[in-house]
């Protein structure tokens, strides 16, 4: 009884750090980890960028951020593919929010100053599963690249065919 009352008070005040597996924020962090791991290594610059983006986007304090990142990392380690996360996200986020998420993923990719073919492929699959168009995915990639003054040398038309 006391535990239920405490949980109720935490819910009212927003101080509870309990994060459920069906929390769409956990799915977002899970996708972030999958994208960071796509090239075989999670770099500290990618991790820092992810934490900064998530903290600002969800307006979290450090304790809540740490709890959410831990939950997302655990969920990612248990996932076998992108679908677990993308299906959860599609249920909770609007089309504009999903497009913004793809932009956040590109920001994380470019945090180390480069992007790999594997990261490209991961975001292409994620965007496809989220229902984000190729056009929007490419626009978000270009925006992320422009943020760090990277020069795009690829011919996107060849990549899309």
């Amino acid at each position: 009884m006391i535990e239920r009352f405490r949980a109720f008070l935490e819910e009212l005040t927003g101080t509870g750090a309990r994060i459920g597996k069906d929390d769409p924020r956990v799915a977002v962090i899970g996708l972030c980890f999958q994208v960071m791991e796509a090239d075989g290594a999670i770099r500290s610059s990618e991790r820092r960028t992810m934490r900064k983006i998530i903290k600002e986007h969800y307006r979290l304090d450090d304790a809540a951020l740490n709890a959410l990142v831990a939950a997302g990392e655990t969920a990612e380690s248990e996932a076998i593919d992108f679908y677990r996360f993308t299906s959860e996200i599609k249920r909770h986020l609007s089309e504009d929010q999903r497009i913004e998420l793809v932009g956040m993923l590109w920001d994380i990719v470019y945090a180390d100053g480069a992007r790999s073919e594997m990261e490209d492929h991961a975001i292409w699959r994620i965007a496809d599963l989220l229902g984000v168009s190729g056009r929007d995915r490419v626009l978000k990639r270009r925006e992320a690249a422009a943020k760090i003054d990277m020069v795009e040398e690829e011919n996107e038309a060849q990549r899309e065919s």
Side-chain angles (χ1 to χ4, degrees), residues 15 22 27 34 40 53 58 79 84-85 91 93 104 107 112-113 118 129 147 150-151 154 157-158:
T15 59
D22 61 342
Q34 287 182 325
I53 289 170
Y58 293 116
R84 172 182 176 198
F85 300 127
R91 282 195 299 273
L93 300 184
M104 290 168 49
D107 288 339
D112 63 0
M118 295 305 295
L129 289 167
K147 288 178 188 176
M150 289 191 72
V151 177
E154 300 174 1
Q158 289 179 347

Side-chain angles (χ1 to χ4, degrees), residues 26-121:
V26 173
V28 167
I29 302 256
L31 285 180
C32 291
F33 275 104
Q34 287 182 325
V35 168
M36 288 188 293
E37 291 176 343
D39 64 357
I42 296 178
R43 289 167 183 74
S44 60
S45 58
E46 293 170 327
R47 188 179 284 271
R48 277 192 310 273
T49 298
M50 179 202 59
R51 290 178 62 84
K52 179 179 183 268
I53 289 170
I54 296 299
K55 184 176 185 174
E56 290 172 3
H57 185 77
Y58 293 116
R59 297 182 183 123
L60 301 171
D61 62 22
D62 288 337
L65 175 65
N66 291 337
L68 189 58
V69 169
E73 193 166 14
T74 298
E76 190 281 327
S77 70
E78 297 169 354
I80 57 171
D81 60 14
F82 300 130
Y83 184 77
R84 172 182 176 198
F85 300 127
T86 57
S87 62
E88 184 71 26
I89 289 168
K90 277 187 83 170
R91 282 195 299 273
H92 290 92
L93 300 184
S94 69
E95 180 181 7
D96 288 341
Q97 290 171 319
R98 294 190 313 264
I99 292 168
E100 190 61 33
L101 171 58
V102 170
M104 290 168 49
L105 295 173
W106 281 122
D107 288 339
I108 292 167
V109 164
Y110 281 116
D112 63 0
R115 78 175 207 262
S116 74
E117 185 177 320
M118 295 305 295
E119 290 167 326
D120 252 2
H121 181 73

